[in-house]
Amino acid sequence: PDLLAVGLSAMSSDNLVSLADACAAAHGADPDVFVVVGGHAVADTDHARALGADAYAASGSDMDAVLTSHVAS
């Protein structure tokens, strides 16, 4: 596949609608793409899933670890 995963971040709650739109666009382009979100505006895994993501990352290093683990599997 050309696209395995997408990592997105939102620092402000003002960006949450756009973040949800980006999750939907990524899944619309490829239903199998793995979408991870994080940033100060995303509270936790449940919040990430409500936005349309497959996973949550609490920090940049967590984002790297989640994406690396997914791509390696």
Side-chain angles (χ1 to χ4, degrees), residues 47-69:
H47 190 197
R49 299 222 173 174
L51 292 166
D54 300 301
Y56 166 72
S59 67
S61 59
D62 284 350
M63 178 77 73
D64 179 56
V66 169
L67 290 170
T68 299
S69 174

Side-chain angles (χ1 to χ4, degrees), residues 5 8-9 12 18-19 24-25 28 35 39 46-48 55 61 64-65 67 70:
L8 302 166
S9 177
S12 167
S18 294
L19 185 62
V35 179
D46 290 337
H47 190 197
S61 59
D64 179 56
L67 290 170
H70 176 73

Side-chain angles (χ1 to χ4, degrees), residues 2-62:
D2 293 327
L3 183 63
L4 298 177
V6 175
L8 302 166
S9 177
M11 298 305 289
S12 167
S13 60
D14 293 340
N15 302 116
L16 290 176
V17 170
S18 294
L19 185 62
D21 289 346
C23 290
H27 283 129
D30 182 349
D32 295 326
V33 71
F34 185 69
V35 179
V36 184
V37 299
H40 290 288
V42 183
D44 54 27
T45 299
D46 290 337
H47 190 197
R49 299 222 173 174
L51 292 166
D54 300 301
Y56 166 72
S59 67
S61 59
D62 284 350

